[in-house]
Amino acid sequence: MRPDILNPLFAEVNVLPGVGPRIAKAIEVCAGPLVVDLLWHLPSGLIDRSFSPNIAAAPPGAIVTLKIMVDSHHKPAVRRLPYKVRCSDESGELTLVFFHAHEKYLRELLPIGEIRVVSGRTEQYGDGIQLVHPDHIVPESEIDAVQGIEPVYPLTAGLNLKPLSKAVQAALERAPEMPEWCDKAYLDRQGWRTWNESLLAVHQPESEADLQPESLARQRLAYDELLANQMALALLRASLQRVKGRKISGDGRLRDAVRARLPFTLTSGQEAAIAEITADMTQPHRMLRLLQGDVGSGKTVVALFAMLVAVEAGAQAALMAPTELLARQHFATLEALLGDCGVTIVLLVGRGKKSERTSTLARLAGGEIDIAIGTHALFQSDIEFADLAVAVVDEQHRFGVHQRMTLAAKGKGVDVLVMTATPIPRTLMLTAYGDLQSSRLNEKPAGRAAIETRVLPISRLGEVVDGVRRAVESGARVFWVCPLVEQSEAVDLAAVEERHAQLQNIFGDRVGLVHGRMKSAEKDSAMSAFAAGAVDILVATTVIEVGIDVPEATIMVIEHAERFGLAQLHQLRGRVGRSNKAGNCLLLYVPPLGETARARLEIMRETDDGFRIAEEDLKLRGAGELLGTRQSGLPELRLADLAQHGELLATARDDARLILQRDPELQSERSQALRILLYLFERDAAARYLRSA
Ligand code: ADP
Ligand code: MG
């Protein structure tokens, strides 16, 4: 249950004065539906209204706050002309200009003969000065409310600054006095104030420096959010580990047999990962480990060794793939690697004969089957294992690993290994998984040649074509990627078709084409023609990013490389260099290059390390925009910026660990405050893991 102290913040925004249904809707779009969302809606700029000259001294184009006398109202003869109000002070005259004005309203707001304070940006008009729709018009008594520094908030269509600022102000007034959840000594060391003071400071910036992520108030709030995030993950983890695990250790007989059969030697990274996994499995607690490595880094063998430990111990193993196709591929690979080692392995996918399935299920339940490969259907309720000891989940490019991990681990105490081909930066790892153990395959298997990457302006297309010609003549195959350049699919299609036609003019009909609008069968046949060597050059949109594996392809040309994100460039480049032949990647760009695009291409030229690329991507783009993270169930951070607050994250992780070590059920006085923190950041689910919450 959410602590009562938070109730004022967890009401809908329409409880705030001045927020009707229309404004509430707009606020929901740009901040969120609840009062608390407004607290997290931080200013992105400020307007300094402290400049108060007299009218004669007010320069055009400046933000000024003026004290004026209202002289006369002038209603226009026709409605499309503006309504004008003439004003003055001892130094000169000023006109206030209003389009589509309501006369009655303006006459009440600006009564003739009275003094008013107006604030806005001045404009030159003829030889006079005017203010078009002043931002503020108030009686003299309220000058202090206007004549200061005003925060500017990110807006959305249909929402102006004034009502939004008022709503934020009202939200701030509802913020309850919070007990302190931070360690006192840490607060002092950082020079941070209380949560309430920091919140107010963040919404009342006095200078540009106050808007920066490293300002003390923003740091404090970011830390609070990260602490809530890390506490939540630690609680989840603790609850997973409360389910008792088991010690699994085999005698090594199957692993030795398979090792002897391998057509290659394991890389030291693979050996290290296998050692980490087997060590985990022999522990009495349950294994939860992530195995990360680029496509082609050799994760499958590592998974096989983990599964063999279970089989040696007389138990069973399962491998879950994201698609049926991948399940089949894994099955074929593993069957070949196992050969006649005496391990029984089956493929369990949706399709297939009912009678066959029934008998497979019976053998699985009876313990005859050692390893089952399948899709998520493996964890359907009708499937029973005699003794499942380890589950491997292959996530490929997906990010939302955590939920699956809990799913796969449901109630059984099974050791879980999750494989992912999306290198996850260290900082994101922490916010997404907390202290989850992880093994990384950094190096490529031996025998893979390096890829040379060059960055060229499109004006050098002629040279690129010459190079491709030479390569094709000596038997190379070439991917030629045309990206999604325009918003419209039709325009993109035209671009890729045009390039295809041009290359056909040069190279004849050994140039294939594949794009997203083609039927699956057409796509498959175009790709198989390329794989079989019937065509030398495959012009493609980014559909080739997934799946296709053509070891003979050694050249990757990417047009408009400046439009791609780093992760995508890396995935695309990974399509070549999958054999022992040297690869080339040519990144063609259309100048001028923006700063970020230049940085991206430079990184691509410098490194082929997926982890390094992921880190750089995070720095360049920010976590929220990292490939697919929004849709993937990564926690959304409102206040913390991982690229800026990385150190705070590490501290929050350590603090969360320490807090839960000392007080696992959050009973102490500070812990009561920490409970509030969890709910404040809507980590309700995690708070529920506390037995007495
Ligand atoms: P991933 O699942 O990480 O994308 P795979 O496990 O499918 O990669 O391995 C890619 C290819 O590399 C496979 O053909 C595999 O047999 C091969 N491979 C794996 N480990 C090694 C190694 N140590 N040396 C040489 N080739 C390897
Ligand atoms: Mg794989």
Side-chain angles (χ1 to χ4, degrees), residues 527-604:
M527 296 220 203
S528 343
F530 183 63
V535 303
D536 303 316
I537 302 174
L538 186 63
V539 179
T541 54
T542 46
V543 291
I544 58 155
E545 202 184 334
V546 280
I548 186 168
D549 192 0
V550 182
E552 294 82 3
T554 51
I555 298 182
M556 168 69 63
V557 180
I558 303 178
E559 287 195 53
H560 272 296
E562 77 279 4
R563 312 251 175 158
F564 288 99
L566 264 178
Q568 211 178 8
L569 287 173
H570 179 61
Q571 296 292 352
L572 283 170
R573 183 170 58 183
R575 297 287 121 205
V576 296
R578 298 170 70 79
S579 66
N580 54 4
K581 292 198 209 89
N584 280 287
C585 176
L586 301 170
L587 302 175
L588 299 179
Y589 66 89
V590 177
L593 274 184
E595 207 178 311
T596 316
R598 182 181 301 277
R600 279 201 297 261
L601 297 181
E602 185 53 33
I603 291 158
M604 286 298 293

Coordinates of all heavy atoms in Angstrom, one line a residue, residues 527-604:
M527 N 17.4 -13.2 -51.4 CA 18.5 -13.5 -50.4 C 19.2 -14.8 -50.8 O 20.4 -14.9 -50.6 CB 18.0 -13.5 -49.0 CG 17.4 -12.2 -48.6 SD 17.8 -11.7 -46.9 CE 16.6 -10.6 -46.5
S528 N 18.4 -15.8 -51.1 CA 19.0 -17.1 -51.4 C 19.9 -17.0 -52.7 O 21.0 -17.6 -52.7 CB 18.1 -18.3 -51.6 OG 16.8 -18.0 -51.1
A529 N 19.5 -16.2 -53.6 CA 20.3 -16.0 -54.8 C 21.6 -15.4 -54.5 O 22.7 -15.8 -55.0 CB 19.5 -15.2 -55.9
F530 N 21.6 -14.5 -53.5 CA 22.8 -13.9 -53.1 C 23.7 -14.9 -52.3 O 24.9 -15.0 -52.5 CB 22.5 -12.6 -52.2 CG 23.6 -11.9 -51.7 CD1 24.5 -11.2 -52.6 CD2 23.9 -11.7 -50.4 CE1 25.6 -10.5 -52.2 CE2 25.0 -11.0 -49.9 CZ 25.8 -10.4 -50.8
A531 N 23.0 -15.6 -51.4 CA 23.7 -16.6 -50.6 C 24.4 -17.6 -51.5 O 25.5 -18.1 -51.2 CB 22.8 -17.2 -49.6
A532 N 23.7 -18.0 -52.5 CA 24.2 -19.1 -53.4 C 25.2 -18.6 -54.4 O 25.8 -19.3 -55.1 CB 23.0 -19.7 -54.2
G533 N 25.3 -17.2 -54.5 CA 26.3 -16.7 -55.4 C 25.8 -16.4 -56.8 O 26.6 -16.1 -57.7
A534 N 24.5 -16.5 -57.0 CA 23.9 -16.2 -58.3 C 23.9 -14.7 -58.6 O 24.0 -14.3 -59.7 CB 22.5 -16.8 -58.4
V535 N 23.9 -13.9 -57.5 CA 24.2 -12.5 -57.7 C 25.3 -12.1 -56.8 O 25.6 -12.7 -55.8 CB 22.9 -11.6 -57.4 CG1 21.7 -12.0 -58.2 CG2 22.6 -11.7 -55.9
D536 N 26.1 -11.0 -57.3 CA 27.2 -10.6 -56.5 C 27.0 -9.5 -55.6 O 27.6 -9.3 -54.6 CB 28.3 -10.1 -57.5 CG 28.7 -11.2 -58.5 OD1 28.8 -12.4 -58.1 OD2 28.8 -10.9 -59.7
I537 N 26.0 -8.6 -56.0 CA 25.7 -7.4 -55.2 C 24.2 -7.5 -54.8 O 23.4 -7.7 -55.7 CB 26.0 -6.2 -56.1 CG1 27.4 -6.2 -56.6 CG2 25.7 -4.9 -55.3 CD1 27.8 -5.0 -57.5
L538 N 24.0 -7.3 -53.6 CA 22.6 -7.3 -53.1 C 22.3 -5.8 -52.6 O 22.8 -5.4 -51.6 CB 22.4 -8.3 -52.0 CG 20.9 -8.4 -51.5 CD1 20.0 -8.9 -52.6 CD2 20.8 -9.3 -50.3
V539 N 21.4 -5.1 -53.3 CA 21.0 -3.8 -52.9 C 19.8 -4.0 -52.0 O 18.9 -4.8 -52.3 CB 20.6 -3.0 -54.1 CG1 20.1 -1.6 -53.7 CG2 21.7 -2.8 -55.1
A540 N 19.9 -3.4 -50.8 CA 18.9 -3.7 -49.8 C 18.6 -2.5 -49.0 O 19.4 -1.6 -48.8 CB 19.4 -4.8 -48.9
T541 N 17.4 -2.5 -48.4 CA 17.1 -1.6 -47.3 C 17.5 -2.3 -46.1 O 18.1 -3.4 -46.2 CB 15.6 -1.3 -47.3 OG1 14.9 -2.5 -47.2 CG2 15.1 -0.5 -48.5
T542 N 17.2 -1.8 -44.9 CA 17.8 -2.4 -43.7 C 17.2 -3.7 -43.4 O 17.5 -4.3 -42.3 CB 17.6 -1.4 -42.5 OG1 16.3 -0.9 -42.6 CG2 18.6 -0.3 -42.7
V543 N 16.3 -4.3 -44.2 CA 15.8 -5.6 -43.9 C 16.9 -6.7 -43.7 O 16.7 -7.7 -43.0 CB 14.8 -6.2 -45.0 CG1 13.6 -5.4 -45.0 CG2 15.5 -6.2 -46.3
I544 N 18.1 -6.4 -44.2 CA 19.1 -7.4 -44.1 C 19.7 -7.4 -42.7 O 20.5 -8.2 -42.3 CB 20.3 -7.2 -45.1 CG1 20.9 -5.8 -44.9 CG2 19.9 -7.5 -46.5 CD1 22.3 -5.8 -45.4
E545 N 19.3 -6.4 -41.9 CA 19.9 -6.3 -40.6 C 19.6 -7.6 -39.7 O 20.5 -8.0 -39.0 CB 19.2 -5.1 -39.8 CG 20.0 -4.6 -38.7 CD 19.2 -3.5 -38.0 OE1 18.3 -2.9 -38.7 OE2 19.4 -3.3 -36.9
V546 N 18.5 -8.2 -39.9 CA 18.2 -9.4 -39.2 C 18.5 -10.6 -40.0 O 18.2 -10.6 -41.2 CB 16.7 -9.4 -38.7 CG1 16.6 -8.5 -37.4 CG2 15.8 -8.9 -39.7
G547 N 18.9 -11.6 -39.3 CA 18.9 -13.0 -39.9 C 20.0 -13.3 -40.9 O 20.9 -14.0 -40.5
I548 N 19.9 -12.8 -42.1 CA 20.7 -13.4 -43.2 C 22.2 -13.6 -42.9 O 22.8 -12.7 -42.3 CB 20.5 -12.6 -44.5 CG1 21.2 -13.3 -45.6 CG2 21.0 -11.2 -44.3 CD1 20.8 -12.8 -47.0
D549 N 22.7 -14.8 -43.2 CA 24.1 -15.1 -42.9 C 24.7 -15.6 -44.2 O 24.5 -16.7 -44.6 CB 24.1 -16.2 -41.8 CG 25.5 -16.4 -41.2 OD1 26.4 -15.7 -41.7 OD2 25.6 -17.3 -40.4
V550 N 25.6 -14.7 -44.7 CA 26.3 -15.1 -46.0 C 27.8 -14.9 -45.7 O 28.3 -13.8 -45.9 CB 25.8 -14.2 -47.2 CG1 26.5 -14.6 -48.4 CG2 24.3 -14.3 -47.3
P551 N 28.5 -16.0 -45.3 CA 29.9 -15.9 -45.0 C 30.7 -15.3 -46.1 O 31.8 -14.7 -45.9 CB 30.3 -17.3 -44.7 CG 29.1 -18.1 -44.4 CD 28.0 -17.4 -45.2
E552 N 30.3 -15.5 -47.4 CA 31.1 -15.1 -48.5 C 31.0 -13.5 -48.7 O 31.8 -13.0 -49.5 CB 30.7 -15.8 -49.8 CG 30.9 -17.2 -49.9 CD 29.8 -18.0 -49.1 OE1 28.9 -17.4 -48.6 OE2 30.0 -19.3 -49.0
A553 N 30.0 -12.9 -48.1 CA 29.9 -11.5 -48.2 C 31.0 -10.8 -47.5 O 31.2 -11.0 -46.3 CB 28.5 -11.0 -47.7
T554 N 31.8 -10.0 -48.2 CA 33.0 -9.4 -47.5 C 32.9 -7.8 -47.6 O 33.7 -7.2 -46.9 CB 34.3 -9.8 -48.1 OG1 34.2 -9.7 -49.5 CG2 34.5 -11.3 -47.8
I555 N 32.0 -7.3 -48.4 CA 31.9 -5.8 -48.5 C 30.6 -5.3 -48.1 O 29.6 -5.9 -48.6 CB 32.3 -5.4 -49.9 CG1 33.8 -5.8 -50.2 CG2 32.2 -3.9 -50.1 CD1 34.3 -5.4 -51.6
M556 N 30.5 -4.3 -47.3 CA 29.3 -3.7 -46.9 C 29.4 -2.2 -47.3 O 30.2 -1.5 -46.8 CB 29.1 -3.9 -45.4 CG 28.0 -3.0 -44.8 SD 26.3 -3.5 -45.2 CE 26.2 -5.2 -44.5
V557 N 28.5 -1.8 -48.2 CA 28.4 -0.4 -48.5 C 27.2 0.2 -47.9 O 26.1 -0.4 -48.0 CB 28.4 -0.1 -50.0 CG1 28.3 1.4 -50.4 CG2 29.5 -0.8 -50.7
I558 N 27.3 1.3 -47.1 CA 26.1 1.8 -46.5 C 26.0 3.3 -46.9 O 26.8 4.1 -46.6 CB 26.2 1.8 -44.9 CG1 26.3 0.3 -44.5 CG2 24.9 2.4 -44.3 CD1 26.5 0.1 -43.0
E559 N 24.9 3.6 -47.6 CA 24.7 5.0 -48.1 C 24.0 5.7 -47.0 O 23.2 5.2 -46.2 CB 23.8 5.0 -49.3 CG 24.5 4.5 -50.6 CD 23.8 4.8 -51.8 OE1 23.4 6.0 -52.0 OE2 23.5 3.9 -52.6
H560 N 24.1 7.0 -47.0 CA 23.5 7.9 -46.0 C 23.8 7.4 -44.6 O 23.0 7.3 -43.7 CB 22.0 8.0 -46.1 CG 21.6 9.1 -47.1 ND1 21.8 10.4 -46.8 CD2 21.0 9.0 -48.3 CE1 21.3 11.1 -47.8 NE2 20.8 10.3 -48.8
A561 N 25.1 7.0 -44.4 CA 25.5 6.4 -43.1 C 25.2 7.4 -42.0 O 25.0 7.0 -40.8 CB 26.9 6.0 -43.1
E562 N 25.2 8.7 -42.3 CA 25.0 9.7 -41.3 C 23.6 9.6 -40.6 O 23.4 10.2 -39.6 CB 25.3 11.1 -41.8 CG 24.1 11.7 -42.7 CD 24.2 11.2 -44.1 OE1 25.0 10.3 -44.5 OE2 23.3 11.7 -44.9
R563 N 22.7 8.9 -41.3 CA 21.3 8.9 -40.8 C 21.1 7.7 -39.8 O 20.1 7.6 -39.2 CB 20.3 8.7 -41.9 CG 20.5 9.6 -43.0 CD 19.4 10.7 -43.0 NE 19.7 11.6 -44.0 CZ 18.7 12.4 -44.6 NH1 17.5 12.3 -44.2 NH2 19.1 13.3 -45.5
F564 N 22.1 6.8 -39.7 CA 21.9 5.6 -38.9 C 22.4 5.8 -37.5 O 23.3 6.6 -37.3 CB 22.7 4.4 -39.5 CG 22.1 3.8 -40.7 CD1 22.6 4.2 -41.9 CD2 21.0 2.9 -40.6 CE1 22.1 3.6 -43.1 CE2 20.5 2.4 -41.8 CZ 21.0 2.7 -43.0
G565 N 21.8 5.1 -36.6 CA 22.3 5.1 -35.2 C 23.5 4.2 -35.1 O 23.7 3.3 -36.0
L566 N 24.3 4.3 -34.1 CA 25.5 3.5 -33.9 C 25.2 2.0 -33.9 O 25.8 1.2 -34.5 CB 26.2 3.9 -32.7 CG 27.4 4.9 -32.9 CD1 27.9 5.2 -31.5 CD2 28.4 4.3 -33.8
A567 N 24.1 1.7 -33.1 CA 23.8 0.3 -32.9 C 23.5 -0.4 -34.2 O 23.9 -1.5 -34.5 CB 22.7 0.1 -31.9
Q568 N 22.7 0.4 -35.0 CA 22.3 -0.2 -36.3 C 23.5 -0.3 -37.2 O 23.6 -1.3 -37.9 CB 21.3 0.8 -36.9 CG 20.3 0.0 -37.7 CD 19.2 0.9 -38.3 OE1 19.3 2.2 -38.2 NE2 18.2 0.3 -38.9
L569 N 24.4 0.7 -37.3 CA 25.6 0.6 -38.1 C 26.4 -0.6 -37.7 O 26.9 -1.4 -38.5 CB 26.4 1.8 -38.0 CG 25.9 3.1 -38.7 CD1 26.7 4.3 -38.3 CD2 25.8 2.9 -40.2
H570 N 26.5 -0.8 -36.4 CA 27.3 -2.0 -35.9 C 26.6 -3.3 -36.3 O 27.3 -4.2 -36.8 CB 27.4 -1.9 -34.4 CG 28.2 -3.0 -33.8 ND1 29.5 -3.2 -34.1 CD2 27.8 -4.0 -32.9 CE1 29.9 -4.3 -33.4 NE2 28.9 -4.8 -32.7
Q571 N 25.3 -3.4 -36.2 CA 24.6 -4.6 -36.6 C 24.8 -4.9 -38.1 O 25.1 -6.0 -38.5 CB 23.1 -4.5 -36.3 CG 22.7 -4.4 -34.9 CD 23.0 -5.7 -34.1 OE1 23.4 -6.7 -34.7 NE2 22.9 -5.6 -32.8
L572 N 24.7 -3.8 -38.9 CA 24.8 -4.0 -40.3 C 26.2 -4.4 -40.7 O 26.4 -5.4 -41.5 CB 24.5 -2.6 -41.0 CG 23.0 -2.3 -41.2 CD1 22.9 -0.9 -41.7 CD2 22.3 -3.3 -42.1
R573 N 27.2 -3.8 -40.1 CA 28.6 -4.1 -40.4 C 28.9 -5.6 -40.0 O 29.7 -6.3 -40.6 CB 29.5 -3.2 -39.7 CG 31.0 -3.5 -40.0 CD 31.9 -2.4 -39.5 NE 31.8 -2.3 -38.1 CZ 32.5 -1.4 -37.4 NH1 33.3 -0.5 -38.0 NH2 32.4 -1.3 -36.1
G574 N 28.2 -6.0 -39.0 CA 28.4 -7.4 -38.5 C 28.0 -8.5 -39.5 O 28.2 -9.6 -39.4
R575 N 27.3 -8.0 -40.6 CA 26.9 -8.9 -41.7 C 28.1 -9.4 -42.5 O 28.0 -10.4 -43.2 CB 25.8 -8.3 -42.6 CG 24.5 -7.9 -41.9 CD 23.7 -9.2 -41.6 NE 23.5 -9.3 -40.2 CZ 23.2 -10.4 -39.6 NH1 23.2 -11.5 -40.2 NH2 23.0 -10.4 -38.3
V576 N 29.1 -8.6 -42.5 CA 30.3 -9.0 -43.2 C 31.4 -9.3 -42.2 O 31.3 -9.1 -41.0 CB 30.8 -8.0 -44.2 CG1 29.8 -7.7 -45.3 CG2 31.2 -6.7 -43.5
G577 N 32.5 -10.0 -42.7 CA 33.6 -10.4 -41.8 C 33.2 -11.6 -41.0 O 33.7 -11.8 -39.9
R578 N 32.3 -12.4 -41.5 CA 31.9 -13.6 -40.8 C 32.7 -14.8 -41.2 O 32.3 -16.0 -41.0 CB 30.4 -13.8 -40.9 CG 29.6 -12.7 -40.4 CD 28.2 -12.7 -40.7 NE 27.5 -13.8 -40.0 CZ 27.1 -13.7 -38.8 NH1 27.3 -12.7 -38.1 NH2 26.4 -14.7 -38.3
S579 N 33.8 -14.6 -41.9 CA 34.6 -15.7 -42.3 C 36.1 -15.3 -42.1 O 36.4 -14.3 -41.5 CB 34.4 -16.0 -43.8 OG 34.8 -14.9 -44.6
N580 N 37.0 -16.1 -42.7 CA 38.4 -15.8 -42.6 C 38.9 -14.8 -43.6 O 40.0 -14.4 -43.6 CB 39.2 -17.0 -42.6 CG 38.9 -17.8 -43.9 OD1 38.2 -17.4 -44.7 ND2 39.5 -19.0 -44.0
K581 N 38.0 -14.3 -44.5 CA 38.4 -13.3 -45.5 C 38.2 -11.9 -45.0 O 37.2 -11.6 -44.3 CB 37.5 -13.5 -46.8 CG 37.8 -14.8 -47.5 CD 37.3 -14.7 -49.0 CE 36.9 -16.0 -49.5 NZ 35.5 -16.3 -49.2
A582 N 39.2 -11.1 -45.3 CA 39.1 -9.7 -44.8 C 37.9 -9.0 -45.3 O 37.5 -9.2 -46.4 CB 40.4 -8.9 -45.2
G583 N 37.3 -8.2 -44.5 CA 36.1 -7.5 -44.9 C 36.3 -6.0 -45.0 O 37.3 -5.5 -44.4
N584 N 35.4 -5.4 -45.8 CA 35.5 -3.9 -45.9 C 34.1 -3.3 -45.6 O 33.1 -3.9 -46.1 CB 35.9 -3.5 -47.3 CG 37.4 -3.6 -47.5 OD1 38.1 -2.8 -47.0 ND2 37.8 -4.6 -48.2
C585 N 34.1 -2.2 -44.9 CA 32.8 -1.5 -44.7 C 33.0 -0.1 -45.2 O 33.9 0.6 -44.7 CB 32.4 -1.6 -43.2 SG 30.9 -0.7 -42.9
L586 N 32.2 0.3 -46.1 CA 32.3 1.7 -46.7 C 31.1 2.5 -46.2 O 30.0 2.2 -46.6 CB 32.4 1.6 -48.2 CG 33.6 0.8 -48.7 CD1 33.5 0.6 -50.2 CD2 34.9 1.5 -48.4
L587 N 31.3 3.5 -45.4 CA 30.2 4.3 -44.9 C 30.2 5.6 -45.8 O 31.1 6.4 -45.7 CB 30.5 4.6 -43.4 CG 30.6 3.4 -42.5 CD1 30.9 3.8 -41.1 CD2 29.2 2.6 -42.6
L588 N 29.2 5.7 -46.6 CA 29.0 6.9 -47.5 C 28.1 7.9 -46.8 O 27.0 7.5 -46.3 CB 28.5 6.5 -48.8 CG 29.3 5.5 -49.6 CD1 28.6 5.2 -50.9 CD2 30.7 6.1 -49.9
Y589 N 28.5 9.1 -46.8 CA 27.7 10.1 -46.2 C 27.4 11.3 -47.1 O 28.2 11.5 -48.0 CB 28.3 10.7 -44.8 CG 29.6 11.4 -45.0 CD1 29.6 12.8 -45.2 CD2 30.8 10.8 -44.9 CE1 30.7 13.5 -45.3 CE2 32.0 11.5 -45.1 CZ 31.9 12.8 -45.3 OH 33.1 13.5 -45.4
V590 N 26.3 12.0 -46.8 CA 26.0 13.2 -47.6 C 26.4 14.4 -46.7 O 25.8 14.6 -45.7 CB 24.5 13.2 -48.0 CG1 24.2 14.5 -48.7 CG2 24.2 12.0 -48.9
P591 N 27.3 15.2 -47.1 CA 27.7 16.4 -46.3 C 26.6 17.4 -46.3 O 25.8 17.4 -47.3 CB 29.0 16.9 -47.0 CG 29.3 16.0 -48.1 CD 28.1 15.1 -48.4
P592 N 26.6 18.4 -45.4 CA 27.5 18.5 -44.3 C 27.2 17.5 -43.2 O 26.0 17.3 -42.9 CB 27.4 19.9 -43.9 CG 25.9 20.2 -44.2 CD 25.6 19.4 -45.4
L593 N 28.2 17.1 -42.4 CA 27.9 16.2 -41.3 C 27.7 17.0 -40.0 O 28.5 17.9 -39.7 CB 29.2 15.3 -41.1 CG 29.3 14.0 -41.9 CD1 30.5 13.3 -41.4 CD2 28.0 13.2 -41.7
G594 N 26.6 16.7 -39.3 CA 26.4 17.3 -38.0 C 27.5 16.7 -37.1 O 28.1 15.8 -37.3
E595 N 27.5 17.4 -35.9 CA 28.6 17.0 -34.9 C 28.4 15.6 -34.4 O 29.3 14.8 -34.4 CB 28.4 17.9 -33.7 CG 29.7 18.1 -32.9 CD 29.5 19.1 -31.8 OE1 28.9 20.2 -32.1 OE2 29.8 18.8 -30.7
T596 N 27.1 15.2 -34.1 CA 26.9 13.8 -33.6 C 27.1 12.8 -34.7 O 27.7 11.8 -34.4 CB 25.4 13.7 -33.1 OG1 25.1 14.9 -32.4 CG2 25.2 12.5 -32.3
A597 N 26.7 13.1 -35.9 CA 26.9 12.1 -37.0 C 28.3 11.9 -37.2 O 28.8 10.8 -37.4 CB 26.2 12.6 -38.2
R598 N 29.1 13.0 -37.2 CA 30.6 12.9 -37.4 C 31.2 12.0 -36.3 O 32.0 11.1 -36.6 CB 31.2 14.3 -37.3 CG 32.7 14.3 -37.6 CD 33.3 15.7 -37.5 NE 32.6 16.5 -38.5 CZ 33.0 16.6 -39.8 NH1 34.0 15.9 -40.2 NH2 32.4 17.4 -40.6
A599 N 30.7 12.2 -35.0 CA 31.2 11.4 -33.9 C 30.9 9.9 -34.1 O 31.7 9.1 -33.9 CB 30.7 11.9 -32.6
R600 N 29.7 9.7 -34.5 CA 29.3 8.3 -34.7 C 30.1 7.6 -35.8 O 30.6 6.5 -35.6 CB 27.8 8.2 -35.2 CG 26.8 8.4 -34.2 CD 25.4 7.8 -34.6 NE 24.9 8.6 -35.7 CZ 24.0 9.5 -35.6 NH1 23.5 9.8 -34.5 NH2 23.5 10.1 -36.7
L601 N 30.3 8.2 -36.9 CA 31.1 7.6 -38.0 C 32.6 7.4 -37.5 O 33.2 6.4 -37.9 CB 31.0 8.5 -39.3 CG 29.6 8.6 -39.8 CD1 29.6 9.4 -41.1 CD2 29.0 7.2 -40.1
E602 N 33.1 8.4 -36.8 CA 34.4 8.3 -36.3 C 34.6 7.0 -35.4 O 35.5 6.3 -35.5 CB 34.8 9.6 -35.5 CG 36.2 9.7 -35.1 CD 37.2 9.4 -36.2 OE1 36.9 9.8 -37.3 OE2 38.3 8.9 -35.8
I603 N 33.6 6.8 -34.5 CA 33.6 5.7 -33.6 C 33.6 4.4 -34.4 O 34.3 3.4 -34.2 CB 32.5 5.7 -32.6 CG1 32.7 6.9 -31.6 CG2 32.3 4.4 -31.9 CD1 31.4 7.3 -31.0
M604 N 32.8 4.4 -35.5 CA 32.7 3.2 -36.3 C 34.0 2.9 -37.0 O 34.4 1.7 -37.2 CB 31.6 3.4 -37.4 CG 30.2 3.3 -36.9 SD 29.8 1.7 -36.2 CE 29.9 0.6 -37.7

